[in-house]
Amino acid sequence: GAVVSQHPSRVICKSGTSVKIECRSLDFQATTMFWYRQFPKQSLMLMATSNEGSKATYEQGVEKDKFLINHASLTLSTLTVTSAHPEDSSFYICSARDHGWSGNTNQPQHFGDGTRLSIL
Amino acid sequence: AQSVAQPEDQVNVAEGNPLTVKCTYSVSGNPYLFWYVQYPNRGLQFLLKYITGDNLVKGSYGFEAEFNKSQTSFHLKKPSALVSDSALYFCAVRLLTHDMRFGAGTRLTVKP
């Protein structure tokens, strides 16, 4: 089945550091990828929609300059948390949907295993 | 607004007993509904979806869900629970923009 690889799985770094998280679709092309944030014991909150070859669409309240998204190819999207601070500590999850050759939009999203970011 | 609600934070069942995890939806138009499972420190795994067709949807690992339009529900069920089914379960609705809105999640604990 479709697989989404997310790397790294865990990051611990000092305040002020910028952290890049990669999300790759391994066996399918993903024109659209999604980035979510999950706080402990809470649901996933959509941060932004990443579109290949164009600017990402951010949800209300998400700082574009804080969370930089790049989707340079059909299999890779990156999320960079710039100048991270302790309040940015969270579990970040990406997902991608396989349109298939027919452009079928009814396929489920496939999720990466998430990245646990801890800012000291 | 398109949304789903999971009224139970926690569901406890004994191994071998049937389980139900509840989900209700508020959607204008035809709903695209999904169930996902999350294990600790992992992403979400797709279980099943309802787009159109039969109201009873069968999915992975023996799970099924029943779409009930009159009750606006999409409850997840399994006839016989396993200890390994213990996890966090999310109901979700796909929006017209193709992103997902998730319920708050229900933690299922299956006791031996």
Side-chain angles (χ1 to χ4, degrees):
Chain A
V3 176
V4 173
S5 174
Q6 189 172 339
H7 179 81
S9 59
R10 185 175 181 90
V11 179
I12 302 174
C13 58
K14 295 180 179 179
S15 183
T17 306
S18 292
V19 178
K20 179 184 284 188
I21 303 170
E22 293 187 348
C23 181
R24 294 180 184 273
S25 56
L26 296 185
D27 55 358
F28 65 99
Q29 294 182 334
T31 55
T32 302
M33 292 185 175
F34 303 95
W35 288 96
Y36 295 87
R37 183 173 181 176
Q38 185 180 29
F39 291 101
K41 299 184 180 180
Q42 293 190 28
S43 189
L44 282 72
M45 300 299 296
L46 179 68
M47 298 174 65
T49 301
S50 170
N51 301 296
E52 186 269 334
S54 65
K55 292 182 179 180
T57 303
Y58 290 81
E59 294 298 299
Q60 190 174 5
V62 178
E63 298 178 58
K64 300 179 183 180
D65 296 332
K66 177 73 170 178
F67 300 99
L68 300 179
I69 291 174
N70 183 278
H71 194 158
S73 77
L74 287 172
T75 60
L76 174 64
S77 176
T78 61
L79 168 68
T80 301
V81 184
T82 61
S83 187
H85 292 284
E87 59 267 27
D88 298 323
S89 299
S90 191
F91 193 55
Y92 293 87
I93 305 175
C94 71
S95 74
R97 182 161 48 85
D98 181 6
H99 283 260
W101 65 270
S102 64
N104 187 340
T105 59
N106 290 334
Q107 296 302 312
Q109 286 186 26
H110 301 281
F111 288 80
D113 278 343
T115 297
R116 183 159 301 284
L117 176 61
S118 300
I119 308 299
L120 304 178
Chain B
Q2 316 275 61
S3 65
V4 291
Q6 294 178 243
E8 302 160 316
D9 294 334
Q10 176 89 30
V11 170
N12 298 314
V13 298
E15 187 175 30
N17 283 1
L19 70 86
T20 299
V21 183
K22 296 180 180 178
C23 173
T24 58
Y25 65 88
S26 175
V27 171
S28 56
N30 296 322
Y32 289 2
L33 299 166
F34 299 79
W35 274 102
Y36 285 86
V37 59
Q38 185 181 32
Y39 296 98
N41 293 311
R42 300 292 297 275
L44 275 65
Q45 295 180 31
F46 169 75
L47 284 179
L48 50 81
K49 65 179 178 181
Y50 173 81
I51 305 297
T52 60
D54 291 340
N55 290 341
L56 185 62
V57 180
K58 293 189 181 297
S60 306
Y61 313 120
F63 284 93
E64 58 188 28
E66 185 172 9
F67 173 71
N68 188 315
K69 190 172 183 178
S70 63
Q71 297 184 5
T72 62
S73 67
F74 189 56
H75 300 331
L76 180 70
K77 299 181 180 182
K78 186 173 183 178
S80 179
L82 301 173
V83 174
S84 58
D85 292 329
S86 299
L88 191 57
Y89 290 81
F90 290 100
C91 181
V93 59
R94 172 178 290 163
L95 308 185
L96 294 176
T97 50
H98 300 299
D99 61 299
M100 310 278 277
R101 289 291 182 266
F102 291 87
T106 299
R107 184 164 299 282
L108 172 67
T109 301
V110 181
K111 297 182 179 179

